[in-house]
Amino acid sequence: PSEKDLMSPVLWICHAQALADAARTLVEAKPSNALPEGFREICHSQYHAIAIMLVAYSIETCLKALLILNAGVDKFISQEQAYRTHNLQRLADFIPDLTPKDRAILQNLTHFSEWAGRYPTPGSTKLCKYSEIDAISRKHGITAGDTFSLASKIFGVAMAELDDPE
Protein backbone atom coordinates (compact mmCIF):
# COMPACT_ATOMS: atom_id res chain seq x y z
CA PRO A 1 0.00 0.00 0.00
CA SER A 2 1.05 3.58 -0.58
CA GLU A 3 1.52 6.17 2.15
CA LYS A 4 -1.87 7.63 1.23
CA ASP A 5 -3.52 4.20 1.42
CA LEU A 6 -2.19 3.80 4.96
CA MET A 7 -3.73 7.15 5.92
CA SER A 8 -7.25 5.97 5.19
CA PRO A 9 -9.44 7.16 8.08
CA VAL A 10 -11.42 3.93 7.76
CA LEU A 11 -8.24 1.91 8.35
CA TRP A 12 -7.43 4.03 11.40
CA ILE A 13 -10.95 3.73 12.85
CA CYS A 14 -10.93 -0.04 12.30
CA HIS A 15 -7.60 -0.22 14.12
CA ALA A 16 -9.01 1.91 16.94
CA GLN A 17 -11.95 -0.49 17.22
CA ALA A 18 -9.59 -3.49 17.34
CA LEU A 19 -7.69 -1.84 20.21
CA ALA A 20 -10.97 -1.16 22.02
CA ASP A 21 -12.07 -4.76 21.54
CA ALA A 22 -8.74 -6.02 22.90
CA ALA A 23 -9.14 -3.76 25.95
CA ARG A 24 -12.69 -5.01 26.51
CA THR A 25 -11.47 -8.61 26.32
CA LEU A 26 -8.86 -7.92 28.99
CA VAL A 27 -11.33 -6.14 31.26
CA GLU A 28 -13.81 -9.01 31.02
CA ALA A 29 -11.17 -11.72 31.57
CA LYS A 30 -9.38 -12.64 34.76
CA PRO A 31 -5.60 -12.40 34.94
CA SER A 32 -3.84 -15.70 35.53
CA ASN A 33 -2.88 -16.81 39.00
CA ALA A 34 0.51 -18.07 37.82
CA LEU A 35 2.49 -15.90 40.23
CA PRO A 36 2.87 -16.66 43.94
CA GLU A 37 0.04 -15.29 46.06
CA GLY A 38 2.06 -12.32 47.38
CA PHE A 39 2.61 -11.03 43.85
CA ARG A 40 -0.91 -11.47 42.47
CA GLU A 41 -2.31 -8.12 43.64
CA ILE A 42 0.59 -6.24 42.05
CA CYS A 43 0.22 -8.21 38.84
CA HIS A 44 -3.54 -7.64 38.85
CA SER A 45 -3.12 -3.84 38.97
CA GLN A 46 -0.52 -3.98 36.17
CA TYR A 47 -2.91 -6.13 34.14
CA HIS A 48 -5.60 -3.45 34.38
CA ALA A 49 -3.07 -0.71 33.57
CA ILE A 50 -2.42 -2.54 30.29
CA ALA A 51 -6.16 -2.67 29.54
CA ILE A 52 -6.43 1.08 30.22
CA MET A 53 -3.41 1.67 27.97
CA LEU A 54 -5.25 -0.09 25.15
CA VAL A 55 -8.29 2.15 25.74
CA ALA A 56 -5.99 5.17 25.56
CA TYR A 57 -4.38 3.91 22.34
CA SER A 58 -7.83 3.27 20.90
CA ILE A 59 -8.94 6.84 21.62
CA GLU A 60 -5.64 8.20 20.28
CA THR A 61 -6.01 6.25 17.04
CA CYS A 62 -9.63 7.36 16.66
CA LEU A 63 -8.66 11.00 17.23
CA LYS A 64 -5.93 10.71 14.61
CA ALA A 65 -8.47 9.23 12.18
CA LEU A 66 -10.64 12.28 12.80
CA LEU A 67 -7.68 14.57 12.20
CA ILE A 68 -7.05 12.82 8.87
CA LEU A 69 -10.73 13.20 7.98
CA ASN A 70 -10.78 16.89 8.91
CA ALA A 71 -7.43 17.88 7.38
CA GLY A 72 -7.40 15.54 4.42
CA VAL A 73 -4.69 12.99 3.75
CA ASP A 74 -2.22 15.32 2.03
CA LYS A 75 -2.38 18.00 4.72
CA PHE A 76 -2.22 15.40 7.51
CA ILE A 77 0.89 13.84 5.94
CA SER A 78 2.54 17.24 5.55
CA GLN A 79 1.81 18.08 9.22
CA GLU A 80 2.21 14.57 10.60
CA GLN A 81 5.04 15.53 12.93
CA ALA A 82 2.63 17.77 14.86
CA TYR A 83 0.40 14.77 15.54
CA ARG A 84 3.14 12.46 16.83
CA THR A 85 2.06 12.58 20.42
CA HIS A 86 0.22 10.51 22.97
CA ASN A 87 -1.19 13.70 24.55
CA LEU A 88 -4.89 12.99 24.22
CA GLN A 89 -5.99 16.40 25.48
CA ARG A 90 -4.04 18.10 22.72
CA LEU A 91 -5.24 15.65 20.06
CA ALA A 92 -8.87 16.15 21.17
CA ASP A 93 -8.83 19.97 21.12
CA PHE A 94 -11.25 20.01 18.18
CA ILE A 95 -13.85 17.67 19.72
CA PRO A 96 -16.98 19.68 20.59
CA ASP A 97 -18.56 19.68 24.03
CA LEU A 98 -15.71 18.14 26.03
CA THR A 99 -16.39 18.74 29.71
CA PRO A 100 -13.70 19.44 32.31
CA LYS A 101 -14.20 15.83 33.45
CA ASP A 102 -13.68 14.58 29.87
CA ARG A 103 -10.43 16.57 29.71
CA ALA A 104 -9.35 15.12 33.05
CA ILE A 105 -10.02 11.61 31.75
CA LEU A 106 -7.92 12.36 28.67
CA GLN A 107 -5.15 13.71 30.89
CA ASN A 108 -5.13 10.52 32.96
CA LEU A 109 -5.33 8.28 29.88
CA THR A 110 -2.30 10.10 28.47
CA HIS A 111 -0.28 8.77 31.41
CA PHE A 112 -1.33 5.24 30.48
CA SER A 113 -0.39 5.62 26.82
CA GLU A 114 2.94 7.27 27.65
CA TRP A 115 4.10 4.96 30.44
CA ALA A 116 1.61 3.59 32.98
CA GLY A 117 0.46 0.72 30.76
CA ARG A 118 3.89 0.07 29.30
CA TYR A 119 6.18 0.27 32.33
CA PRO A 120 5.74 -0.09 36.10
CA THR A 121 7.01 3.49 36.71
CA PRO A 122 7.39 6.70 34.71
CA GLY A 123 11.09 6.82 35.62
CA SER A 124 12.78 7.82 38.84
CA THR A 125 12.60 11.56 38.11
CA LYS A 126 8.81 11.54 37.66
CA LEU A 127 7.52 9.34 40.47
CA CYS A 128 5.00 12.04 41.44
CA LYS A 129 2.97 11.01 38.35
CA TYR A 130 1.21 8.32 40.41
CA SER A 131 -0.07 10.96 42.80
CA GLU A 132 -1.15 13.15 39.87
CA ILE A 133 -3.29 10.36 38.38
CA ASP A 134 -4.89 9.68 41.75
CA ALA A 135 -5.53 13.36 42.49
CA ILE A 136 -7.13 13.99 39.07
CA SER A 137 -9.31 10.89 39.43
CA ARG A 138 -10.49 11.84 42.91
CA LYS A 139 -11.09 15.51 42.05
CA HIS A 140 -13.32 14.63 39.10
CA GLY A 141 -14.78 11.39 40.47
CA ILE A 142 -13.56 9.47 37.41
CA THR A 143 -14.86 5.92 37.04
CA ALA A 144 -14.24 3.22 34.46
CA GLY A 145 -17.76 3.90 33.18
CA ASP A 146 -16.86 7.57 32.62
CA THR A 147 -13.78 6.53 30.66
CA PHE A 148 -15.72 4.14 28.44
CA SER A 149 -18.48 6.75 27.94
CA LEU A 150 -15.90 9.25 26.73
CA ALA A 151 -14.43 6.65 24.37
CA SER A 152 -17.93 6.03 22.99
CA LYS A 153 -18.49 9.76 22.57
CA ILE A 154 -15.27 10.13 20.55
CA PHE A 155 -16.08 7.05 18.45
CA GLY A 156 -19.53 8.54 17.86
CA VAL A 157 -17.95 11.72 16.50
CA ALA A 158 -15.77 9.60 14.22
CA MET A 159 -18.68 7.54 12.92
CA ALA A 160 -20.73 10.70 12.29
CA GLU A 161 -17.80 12.20 10.35
CA LEU A 162 -17.46 9.03 8.26
CA ASP A 163 -21.18 9.09 7.49
CA ASP A 164 -21.16 12.80 6.62
CA PRO A 165 -17.63 14.16 6.06
CA GLU A 166 -18.98 17.68 5.32
Side-chain angles (χ1 to χ4, degrees):
S2 71
E3 183 178 23
K4 284 187 177 185
D5 293 336
L6 295 174
M7 289 298 164
S8 163
V10 172
L11 178 64
W12 283 69
I13 289 172
C14 288
H15 193 82
Q17 185 63 55
L19 287 163
D21 290 345
R24 186 177 306 106
T25 298
L26 286 178
V27 168
E28 291 173 353
K30 285 180 136 182
S32 76
N33 289 325
L35 291 173
E37 190 171 331
F39 294 110
R40 288 184 193 154
E41 188 173 316
I42 296 167
C43 183
H44 193 74
S45 85
Q46 293 305 104
Y47 179 92
H48 286 285
I50 292 165
I52 295 168
M53 175 191 69
L54 291 174
V55 171
Y57 283 162
S58 174
I59 290 171
E60 177 183 331
T61 304
C62 189
L63 289 169
K64 289 179 179 178
L66 279 163
L67 288 165
I68 294 167
L69 273 167
N70 291 333
V73 172
D74 291 331
K75 187 174 180 183
F76 183 87
I77 289 171
S78 72
Q79 298 176 348
E80 187 175 2
Q81 199 62 26
Y83 305 123
R84 287 196 179 178
T85 183
H86 294 297
N87 186 324
L88 300 179
Q89 285 177 286
R90 195 173 102 210
L91 290 170
D93 276 344
F94 66 95
I95 299 289
D97 304 325
L98 287 179
T99 67
K101 186 173 191 172
D102 292 339
R103 293 189 184 285
I105 292 167
L106 293 172
Q107 183 178 356
N108 271 2
L109 287 174
T110 296
H111 292 298
F112 285 88
S113 61
E114 289 179 338
W115 64 270
R118 297 165 50 192
Y119 309 109
T121 72
S124 59
T125 61
K126 298 178 182 174
L127 289 178
C128 64
K129 295 289 186 181
Y130 285 111
S131 298
E132 185 179 328
I133 292 170
D134 185 59
I136 292 167
S137 295
R138 289 178 188 277
K139 177 182 176 185
H140 294 277
I142 296 171
T143 66
D146 297 330
T147 301
F148 291 115
S149 290
L150 177 58
S152 293
K153 178 179 183 176
I154 292 170
F155 269 85
V157 171
M159 296 314 292
E161 284 287 321
L162 278 177
D163 287 342
D164 183 22
E166 293 300 315

